[in-house]
């Protein structure tokens, strides 16, 4: 038995290793994020509060307007009622020279008579 | 190690408190916080209005204003007082005193109309506020003031219909509940709860404003012209008992009841009693006719005086003895003749008819403080008491009672309970009393006799051009308790109906203490007033002339 001579691969050339500086991971500290968040929340709250206050003032203005209109309606109600009083009508009639006749003249239709 | 332990304990304490606040007592704290933010406002229910029969407003409730001050916020007291005094029409001294008061709230003026409050609001004075409050307005001022009554600043009825129907007129308050910011502004997205207020119910009256106005005008003129102390006019619709007008003089403005003399606030037509005198002869004669004790044409020998037991009665005007029938006795308003008729009737029957005509007990008209008048039970009548009662003495009545009695004759013999409130809200009022006191034919005979009073009797001045009318005069000496007897003052009255055939109105006119004493009779001052009022009333009601 013959054996073939085994072929031994030639050893690889050992790579020439060199130390390189590893990539440094940038670690961002958490406090700026927190700060930004806090500021954002703060401004959001301020904005919400401002919007709320603004609508409250709007509401107040609307209410004032309603009160003013209601007062006008109330005053008109009173004025209309006063305008139709018999005293006022009598005074207005009197100013025009109208009044109750002292001696009224009556036109009587006799029984069976015709009018028209 | 020690620091760690301290931190653990501290954090533990914080955690414990956190759980306590956020979990255990969370609800209580939330409620406390809410209660600090919540504001409740009572919204008053508007008081019902009062209208006349045609829907004209007699009393209205509207949103008015009150002017208030916080004296602590006023920087310049003197200037503020000066400016406000001019606007409010109040004395500077009065305002200065109010503005200098201790405390943080004082009313400067209440019950202002919107137009009165607006200029004060516009001034924008520091420490001066205009607050909304409901006000009661009587747009027709004095008109029907005694019927309407008035309310206090809290809107509670104090007199008249305002008092009698306070429960019906008063609204049910509602409310608002909402969250406010620390600055006091409403938080729009916050909690909001509203309970609607309910308006009070309106009253619709039987009163006719036009008639009421003329009755008041004519009454005031007549009382002033006669130098009288007071007077009343009652206009009734006999077929229903509806009171179309009820006027009293002196009157008052219900917008400012505090400025009126207490005496002027009285609704004399229902609270004052007087002896009806000759107008009561209507009842005596009606009773005698109804009981067939006399015929209208029966003749009596009438002297100008008569003695009943120890009491002497005289006719108003001396005359020779004459033969007068019942018609003439009524027309002449003879005391002696009426006593002769009464003597045919007797006490029990006279008493029964007086009661049937509504004397001695209140009519139960829907107005407060009505007097019942006075009528002694027949069992306690003295010897001549019946004779006195037959001619209208020893019995007292209110003007309304007596007008209602005449209405029975006008209404075919049926007495009807007088009333002034036609509807409450949409519901008609009802359940009123009525009773037949005379047969229809007797009522016709009595009305004819009342016509004779105008055509040939004491009431000639009551004639109304174009209409046949009837009525009865009355002139009664007033009983003066201080004197213990009758004084010189009289009550002059006339109660009549028109048109006589089918009366549309019964009008009672009463003038208290005219200055000319016995010279001012029902025929001379009350009858002409009846004529003027009846003339207007018939036209206003559209009653065609018939004579």
């Amino acid at each position: 038995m013959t054996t073939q001579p085994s072929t031994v691969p030639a050893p690889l050339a050992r790579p020439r290793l060199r130390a390189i500086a590893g990539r440094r991971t940038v670690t961002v500290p958490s406090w700026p994020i927190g700060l930004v968040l806090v500021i954002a929340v703060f401004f959001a709250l301020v904005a919400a509060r401002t919007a709320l206050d603004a609508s409250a003032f709007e509401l107040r203005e609307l209410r004032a307007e309603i009160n003013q209109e209601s007062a006008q309606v109330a005053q008109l109600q009173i004025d209309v009622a006063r305008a139709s009083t018999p005293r006022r009508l009598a005074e207005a009639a009197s100013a025009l020279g109208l009044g109750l006749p002292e001696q009224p003249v009556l036109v009587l239709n006799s029984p069976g008579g015709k009018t028209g | 190690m020690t620091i760690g332990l301290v931190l653990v304990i501290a954090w533990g304490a914080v955690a414990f408190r956190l759980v306590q606040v956020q979990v255990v007592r969370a609800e209580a704290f939330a409620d406390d916080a809410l209660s600090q933010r919540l504001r409740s406002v009572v919204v008053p229910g508007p008081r019902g209005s009062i209208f006349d029969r045609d829907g004209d407003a007699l009393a209205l409730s509207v949103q008015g204003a009150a002017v208030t001050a916080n004296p602590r916020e006023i920087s310049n007291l003197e200037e503020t007082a000066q400016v406000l005094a001019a606007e409010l029409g109040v004395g500077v001294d009065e305002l200065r005193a109010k503005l200098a008061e201790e405390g943080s709230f004082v009313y400067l003026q209440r019950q202002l109309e919107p137009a009165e409050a607006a200029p004060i609001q516009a001034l924008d004075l520091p420490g001066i506020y205009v607050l909304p409050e409901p006000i009661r307005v009587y747009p027709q001022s004095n008109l029907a003031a005694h019927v309407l009554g008035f309310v206090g600043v809290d809107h509670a009825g104090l007199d008249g219909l305002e008092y009698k129907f306070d429960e019906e007129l008063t609204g049910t308050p509602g409310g608002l509940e909402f969250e406010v910011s620390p600055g006091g502004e409403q938080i729009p997205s916050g909690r909001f709860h509203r309970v609607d207020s309910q308006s009070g119910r309106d009253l619709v009256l039987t009163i006719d404003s036009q008639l009421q106005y003329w009755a008041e005008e004519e009454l005031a003129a007549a009382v002033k012209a006669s130098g009288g102390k007071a007077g009343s006019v009652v206009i009734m619709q006999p077929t229903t008992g509806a009171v179309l007008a009820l006027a009293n003089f002196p009157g008052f403005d219900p917008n400012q009841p505090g400025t009126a003399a207490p005496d002027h606030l009285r609704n004399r037509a229902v609270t004052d009693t007087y002896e009806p005198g000759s107008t009561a002869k209507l009842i005596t004669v009606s009773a005698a006719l109804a009981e067939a004790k006399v015929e209208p044409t029966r003749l009596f020998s009438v002297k100008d005086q008569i003695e009943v037991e120890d009491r002497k009665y005289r006719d108003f005007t001396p005359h020779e003895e004459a033969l007068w029938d019942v018609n003439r006795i009524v027309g002449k308003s003879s005391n002696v003749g009426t006593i002769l008729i009464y003597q045919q009737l007797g006490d029990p029957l006279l008493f029964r008819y007086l009661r049937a005509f509504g004397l001695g007990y209140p009519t139960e008209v829907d107005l407060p403080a009505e007097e019942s008048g006075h009528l002694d039970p027949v069992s306690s009548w003295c010897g001549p008491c019946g004779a006195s009662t037959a001619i209208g003495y020893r019995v007292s009545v209110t003007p309304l009672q007596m007008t209602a009695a005449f209405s029975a004759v006008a209404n075919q013999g049926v007495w009807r309970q007088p009333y002034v409130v036609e509807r409450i809200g949409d519901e008609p009022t009802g359940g009123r009393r009525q009773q037949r006191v005379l047969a229809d034919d007797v009522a016709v005979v009595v009305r004819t006799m009342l016509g004779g009073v105008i055509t040939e009797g004491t009431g000639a001045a009551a004639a109304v051009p174009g209409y046949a009318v009837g009525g009865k005069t009355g002139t009664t000496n007033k009983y003066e308790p201080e004197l213990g007897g009758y004084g010189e003052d009289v009550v002059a009255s006339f109660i009549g109906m028109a048109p006589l055939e089918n009366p549309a109105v019964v009008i009672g006119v009463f003038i208290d203490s005219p200055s000319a004493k016995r010279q001012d009779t029902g025929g001379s001052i009350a009858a002409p007033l009846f004529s003027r009022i009846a003339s207007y009333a018939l036209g206003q009601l559209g009653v065609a002339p018939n004579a």
Side-chain angles (χ1 to χ4, degrees):
Chain A
M1 175 172 156
T2 57
T3 58
Q4 287 194 354
S6 60
T7 57
V8 177
L12 290 172
R14 191 182 178 128
R16 290 180 63 198
L17 299 173
R18 64 184 174 89
I20 58 166
R23 289 185 71 184
R24 289 180 61 192
T25 51
V26 180
T27 51
V28 180
S30 59
W31 66 267
I33 297 170
L35 186 64
V36 168
L37 276 175
V38 166
I39 290 170
V41 166
F42 173 76
F43 278 109
L45 278 174
V46 168
R49 176 63 195 261
T50 307
L52 207 62
D53 282 354
S55 56
F57 283 116
E58 247 173 67
L59 201 65
R60 189 173 68 168
E61 274 169 29
L62 281 173
R63 189 160 291 138
E65 250 175 71
I66 290 169
N67 286 343
Q68 207 175 349
E69 299 292 330
S70 303
Q72 216 170 340
V73 169
Q75 192 62 50
L76 283 171
Q77 265 182 298
I78 298 169
D79 292 346
V80 166
R82 281 193 181 130
S84 59
T85 60
R87 178 177 301 281
R88 189 187 158 278
L89 297 177
E91 283 168 1
S94 177
L96 294 170
L98 303 170
L100 291 182
E102 289 295 320
Q103 293 292 325
V105 177
L106 303 167
V107 180
L108 299 178
N109 187 22
S110 57
K114 289 180 181 173
T115 56
Chain B
M1 178 68 185
T2 313
I3 293 171
L5 187 64
V6 168
L7 281 173
V8 166
I9 292 170
W11 280 111
V14 168
F16 173 76
R17 183 63 181 155
L18 197 64
V19 170
Q20 196 183 30
V21 169
Q22 292 291 345
V23 179
V24 180
R25 298 186 59 197
E27 206 171 321
F29 280 123
D31 287 347
D32 283 351
L34 186 64
S35 70
Q36 285 179 359
R37 296 195 305 274
L38 270 186
R39 181 167 297 171
S40 297
V41 176
V42 174
V43 180
R47 190 173 176 82
S49 300
I50 305 179
F51 299 99
D52 82 342
R53 63 190 289 123
D54 296 322
D56 289 330
L58 299 172
L60 291 172
S61 279
V62 295
Q63 190 74 283
V67 179
T68 68
N70 181 349
R72 290 175 187 162
E73 294 177 5
I74 291 168
S75 48
N76 189 335
L77 190 146
E78 191 56 37
E79 191 186 325
T80 308
Q82 295 279 356
V83 172
L84 280 178
E87 288 294 341
L88 294 173
V90 181
V92 178
D93 291 341
E94 190 186 329
L95 275 178
R96 200 183 289 126
K98 282 184 174 176
L99 295 175
E101 276 182 23
E102 292 291 321
S104 58
F105 184 89
V106 61
Y107 277 114
L108 300 181
Q109 198 156 46
R110 300 189 68 178
Q111 301 288 294
L112 289 177
E113 289 182 16
E116 295 169 319
I120 295 155
Q121 184 110 49
L123 287 171
D124 200 21
L125 294 169
I128 303 298
Y129 299 94
V130 176
L131 303 180
E133 71 169 359
I135 58 168
R136 193 69 164 165
V137 180
Y138 301 91
Q140 313 224 24
S141 301
N142 293 35
L143 193 95
H146 296 101
V147 175
L148 300 174
F150 52 87
V151 297
V153 285
D154 57 354
H155 264 209
L158 299 180
D159 202 358
L161 294 174
E162 296 276 27
Y163 172 75
K164 182 90 175 179
F165 290 88
D166 193 43
E167 201 176 307
E168 290 81 356
L169 287 164
T170 303
T172 310
L176 290 178
E177 199 177 54
F178 51 89
E179 283 184 69
V180 293
S181 66
E185 299 295 341
Q186 185 183 343
I187 300 172
S189 57
R191 178 165 158 176
F192 183 83
H193 180 63
R194 172 189 178 134
V195 177
D196 285 335
S197 59
Q198 301 288 320
S199 295
R201 298 163 77 191
D202 295 339
L203 300 185
V204 178
L205 309 187
T206 57
I207 298 291
D208 180 316
S209 290
Q210 308 286 335
L211 268 183
Q212 179 75 27
Y213 171 73
W214 285 109
E216 287 182 7
E217 288 290 298
E218 293 289 352
L219 174 66
V223 174
K224 284 175 190 166
S226 70
K229 288 181 185 166
S232 296
V233 168
V234 180
I235 305 180
M236 276 182 70
Q237 193 174 46
T239 50
T240 60
V243 176
L244 302 178
L246 193 152
N248 294 290
F249 181 85
F252 69 98
D253 184 354
N255 292 298
Q256 297 169 314
T259 59
D263 194 36
H264 295 189
L265 301 176
R266 222 167 57 232
N267 188 354
R268 295 164 191 272
V270 298
T271 62
D272 285 17
T273 59
Y274 74 107
E275 287 175 300
S278 295
T279 52
K281 290 170 186 169
L282 167 101
I283 301 173
T284 306
V285 172
S286 296
L289 290 167
E291 295 296 322
K293 300 295 183 186
V294 294
E295 293 288 319
T297 51
R298 174 166 170 186
L299 293 170
F300 288 88
S301 179
V302 183
K303 296 178 181 174
D304 62 359
Q305 60 181 13
I306 188 172
E307 206 163 317
V308 179
E309 297 202 3
D310 59 341
R311 198 164 297 170
K312 200 174 272 184
Y313 299 89
R314 293 184 176 83
D315 277 349
F316 192 82
T317 310
H319 60 83
E320 296 294 320
E321 183 174 356
L323 278 178
W324 286 348
D325 64 12
V326 177
N327 282 304
R328 196 157 176 81
I329 286 169
V330 173
K332 292 282 185 188
S333 195
S334 167
N335 291 333
V336 175
T338 307
I339 289 170
L340 293 173
I341 293 170
Y342 144 75
Q343 285 172 340
Q344 306 295 311
L345 186 67
D347 289 349
L349 281 175
L350 176 61
F351 178 79
R352 202 177 85 195
Y353 276 86
L354 288 167
R355 293 284 295 179
F357 272 93
L359 275 60
Y361 60 92
T363 64
E364 293 174 5
V365 66
D366 37 10
L367 288 165
E370 187 193 12
E371 276 290 326
S372 60
H374 184 79
L375 175 63
D376 281 331
V378 68
S379 55
S380 68
W381 286 10
C382 60
C385 282
S388 296
T389 308
I391 58 170
Y393 285 87
R394 293 192 57 83
V395 56
S396 69
V397 295
T398 65
L400 180 67
Q401 266 179 325
M402 212 55 207
T403 309
F406 271 66
S407 287
V409 173
N411 187 34
Q412 322 304 336
V414 178
W415 181 94
R416 299 199 68 144
Q417 183 183 344
Y419 68 100
V420 294
V421 179
E422 189 78 62
R423 289 203 313 271
I424 301 173
D426 293 330
E427 291 172 29
T429 55
R432 285 178 283 274
R433 283 184 292 126
Q434 59 173 327
Q435 63 205 33
R436 176 163 289 283
V437 296
L438 292 176
D440 195 353
D441 56 336
V442 176
V444 171
V445 171
V446 176
R447 283 210 300 276
T448 308
M449 287 180 179
L450 294 178
V453 172
I454 311 297
T455 52
E456 50 192 277
T458 54
V464 179
Y467 297 90
V469 301
K472 186 72 195 79
T473 54
T475 310
T476 323
N477 280 80
K478 284 177 72 175
Y479 184 81
E480 307 285 357
E482 303 84 32
L483 300 174
Y486 292 95
E488 289 191 344
D489 279 339
V490 300
V491 173
S493 60
F494 185 90
I495 310 174
M497 54 196 70
L500 194 55
E501 199 177 323
N502 187 20
V505 285
V506 173
I507 302 173
V509 173
F510 309 84
I511 296 181
D512 181 6
S513 308
S515 59
K517 317 288 182 191
R518 294 285 288 177
Q519 302 307 310
D520 273 335
T521 62
S524 67
I525 60 169
L529 180 54
F530 166 88
S531 171
R532 289 194 293 276
I533 295 174
S535 177
Y536 180 81
L538 293 167
Q540 170 73 8
L541 297 172
V543 179
N546 67 346

